[in-house]
Each structure stands twice: as C-alpha cells, then as structure tokens.
Amino acid sequence: MPFSVSWQTLLDELEDLPDGAALVTPLSHNRFRITDVQEQRVIISFEDNEQKRPLQRDQFETLYRRITDAPTGFQLDRLPPDADPYPAVWSLHPRFEINGDAGVIVEQDGPTSTSTQLLEGETAPETGDRAEPDLAVYADALLLVDALERHNVTTLEEMDTDALVNLYTLLSDVQRNANELRQDVADVLLNRLHHDRPVNGPFGSVQRTTRRNRTLKDDEEVLAALEDAGIERKRVMGVDRTKVDDALEVTELAESDVYEIDEREYVRKAEVDEERKQTRLQGLKEQLAATEGEEAEELRQEIEELEGRIGELTEFKSGQAFHARTGGEP
C-alpha cells in the first residue's frame, strides 16, 4: 500500500480520537496527547511538561518504509532517542501494531485486533473491586502495618521485649517475601526495557542496566597466560584461605595468629509462629470488612489524600522537562 494512502488513513484515525485520549511512548512510557492534526505534521504535547512538539510527515514516512521492509517487525530500540512518539502514533493505524514484549512495531495483513498505545485519559474504564492477592508479602505487610499502628516505634527503647520481637519478625518476613516478589517483577520488566532508557511510573522510574561479574578461569590456564605475557608466577600467587584453614587444623597456631577477627553480635530470627500470625491476620481482615458508614468514607478520603501527596512527592520529571521549565539548555 502506498505511503500516501496509509498516511491519510492515519490522519483520519487521529481526527477521530476521543477527547482526553492519550498515547504512551513504547520505550520510555511517557504519556502525550495529540493537540493538532495537519497535512504535513502532527502536533503533540507531553503530559509532564505540556510543551508542544511537531512530528513531521517525512519522519513518519521514513519509519513507514522501515516497518514495511521488515517482515518480522521493526526493532524499536533502533529508533533515535527523540523518535519514541512516532511508533506510538503509527500504532493507531488499523494495520500497524506494537508488540511490547518483542520490542517491535509490525505491519499486519488486516486490521489489528487489539488497541495499541491508546489510553482514555478522562474516560478510562473504572477498575472492579480490589481483590486480596494470594501473596505472603501481602499478609505479612498487613500484620506489619497493624503492629506499627499499635506501637510507638519512634521510641523503640520504651517498647516491651515481646513487641520488639514481633516487630523484628514481621520486618524480616516482609523483607524476604518482598525481595522475592521484586525479583519476579524485575524478570518481567527486563523484557520490556530497551537501550538503558528510563521507564516512568507514578512513584519513580526504572532502567535497564548491566552488571559485569568476573570469575577467574582454571589456575593453570591463568598462570600459563600470564607467563606467556612475561609475568612470573610468584607475582600473582597469594594465600588460599581454604588451605590456611586446613593448616590450622593440623598445627598449634591460633586462629588469631593468621586472621584479623572482628566479632559483632546481632539478632537473628529463630522461628515464626505462623498459626498465631494467621489468627491475627484473619481478625484484621474481618475488622476491615466490617468497616462501614462515615468511618469507612473518612478512611477512603485519608487514603486518597495520602496517595495524592505521595504522587506529588515522587513524580518523576525528566531532564528535558526541567530545562524547559527553567529555560536552561538541555
């Protein structure tokens, strides 16, 4: 299909967008809106800074050629950093679709069956009733919140020992289970992040990074390589801790003769009374479920106000938005 025909179809789709509709860039996940549709360009405005930006027709055509020349889809991570909005707009065309997991935008033989990157900013469908997740971290977090509300943790020295034990146990359980869930979330996110570009959320942003670990090869292989490079073995030979420990077993040397020892005492969780935790947890659930009337409405209002304050404090602002706001150079 000629580009001119696809372009006109795209413009028609943009003209028919509902009021309040927003788009999301596929790599950085920034929200923006279409503010004007012209024959030679599309004007957009990002929500984080409301600064208008034109998207030119010739750039849309360049991306169109790359997409149609790639049978399995054009890799989004090949886009220049400032070209992220173009595939989001193209995805409104009935035959173009973004596959976020594969990181591509692809042309289909017929109309796509799924909504692309379109969001309804003002008319988004409301979510259903919240469901209790079957997660250990949820149950432990609920118990921890209850414990924090019942005790003045700003003065730990004044708390009873049994209360401190319970608090430490719950903190330990939440930390362990939250870290396991965090790793599961990270594994899924890893397939959706590209090119070390930050992806924004209401409470912050995440970024794909690379950690480099080194492990020495076999001793003989390492020593042979160093000798070939003119490095004598004795220059890299060190003390093997395992062999030192073996030597201590068969000599009269004290451990302090060969080790610098720093002993520190710490608290370690020994066991958890799961039955007691479940009993308390069930009581909390019943208490929450029974909350009705003015008390429940006041609680909901407090939560909404708290979420609003958290959103203001943790809202992520890009460097571009900062410079646009202060008038500095990026």
Side-chain angles (χ1 to χ4, degrees):
M1 180 181 298
F3 167 75
S4 58
V5 176
S6 294
W7 175 247
Q8 190 57 54
T9 301
L10 178 61
L11 295 183
D12 293 340
E13 293 289 337
L14 296 179
E15 291 285 3
D16 292 337
L17 282 179
D19 295 338
L23 297 168
V24 180
T25 56
L27 297 181
S28 57
H29 290 207
N30 291 322
R31 288 169 58 102
F32 66 93
R33 301 180 186 276
I34 306 295
T35 61
D36 193 15
V37 178
Q38 304 173 8
E39 183 60 35
Q40 296 299 320
R41 62 181 186 171
V42 176
I43 310 299
I44 68 172
S45 175
F46 282 96
E47 289 189 348
D48 60 353
N49 58 22
E50 298 184 354
Q51 187 176 22
K52 292 185 177 180
R53 174 187 168 188
L55 303 180
Q56 303 296 340
R57 182 183 190 274
D58 58 347
Q59 297 298 320
F60 278 105
E61 183 173 5
T62 298
L63 180 57
Y64 172 86
R65 303 297 180 197
R66 294 183 178 180
I67 296 172
T68 55
D69 289 343
T72 59
F74 175 74
Q75 294 290 331
L76 294 171
D77 58 9
R78 294 175 57 191
L79 290 168
D82 60 347
D84 210 6
Y86 284 89
V89 176
W90 259 127
S91 67
L92 293 178
H93 189 286
R95 295 181 59 180
F96 290 87
E97 185 175 34
I98 289 178
N99 184 329
D101 292 336
V104 300
I105 178 171
V106 63
E107 181 184 23
Q108 304 288 5
D109 293 334
T112 58
S113 59
T114 58
S115 175
T116 53
Q117 299 296 306
L118 179 63
L119 296 178
E120 299 292 341
E122 302 299 331
T123 59
E126 296 184 359
T127 57
D129 295 336
R130 293 187 179 185
E132 177 186 327
D134 185 18
L135 294 171
V137 66
Y138 173 82
D140 288 332
L142 186 58
L143 289 170
L144 177 60
V145 169
D146 175 65
L148 293 174
E149 290 176 345
R150 288 186 294 107
H151 300 286
N152 184 8
V153 295
T154 59
T155 54
L156 295 176
E157 293 79 5
E158 299 178 4
M159 290 178 58
D160 294 337
T161 300
D162 60 341
L164 287 171
V165 170
N166 287 338
L167 186 61
Y168 184 88
T169 301
L170 291 171
L171 288 168
S172 177
D173 289 344
V174 169
Q175 180 187 35
R176 183 189 69 252
N177 293 323
N179 190 60
E180 292 177 358
L181 180 59
R182 181 184 66 87
Q183 188 58 57
D184 292 340
V185 173
D187 291 341
V188 176
L189 273 176
L190 192 61
N191 296 322
R192 304 185 184 182
L193 306 181
H194 307 276
H195 263 333
D196 292 341
R197 300 183 186 182
V199 174
N200 307 326
F203 298 146
S205 64
V206 296
Q207 186 171 343
R208 183 170 186 156
T209 58
T210 301
R211 182 182 292 110
R212 186 169 180 263
N213 295 322
R214 299 188 309 167
T215 303
L216 281 174
K217 297 181 179 180
D218 179 76
D219 290 353
E220 288 301 321
E221 186 176 353
V222 173
L223 293 172
L226 292 174
E227 286 182 333
D228 291 342
I231 304 297
E232 297 180 1
R233 290 193 173 208
K234 63 182 181 181
R235 292 184 58 185
V236 295
M237 297 296 286
V239 176
D240 187 322
R241 178 169 177 166
T242 302
K243 293 181 179 179
V244 170
D245 289 340
D246 291 340
L248 289 176
E249 296 290 337
V250 297
T251 66
E252 296 182 357
L253 287 172
E255 189 179 27
S256 58
D257 292 333
V258 293
Y259 281 107
E260 294 289 345
I261 301 175
D262 180 20
E263 289 188 355
R264 298 183 183 182
E265 295 182 345
Y266 67 98
V267 174
R268 181 178 66 87
K269 184 181 65 177
E271 61 181 355
V272 179
D273 190 340
E274 293 290 348
E275 183 177 351
R276 183 72 174 271
K277 285 173 58 177
Q278 290 298 325
T279 300
R280 178 60 182 166
L281 179 61
Q282 185 60 38
L284 288 173
K285 291 179 180 178
E286 293 173 356
Q287 180 180 344
L288 289 174
T291 304
E292 298 178 353
E294 294 182 0
E295 182 181 354
E297 182 60 28
E298 291 177 0
L299 178 59
R300 281 191 290 269
Q301 291 179 358
E302 290 178 3
I303 293 175
E304 290 176 359
E305 292 175 0
L306 178 59
E307 289 176 341
R309 291 198 298 271
I310 291 175
E312 293 176 0
L313 292 172
T314 59
E315 183 178 5
F316 178 80
K317 295 293 185 182
S318 66
Q320 182 181 6
F322 173 79
H323 288 295
R325 194 168 59 249
T326 58
E329 294 295 330

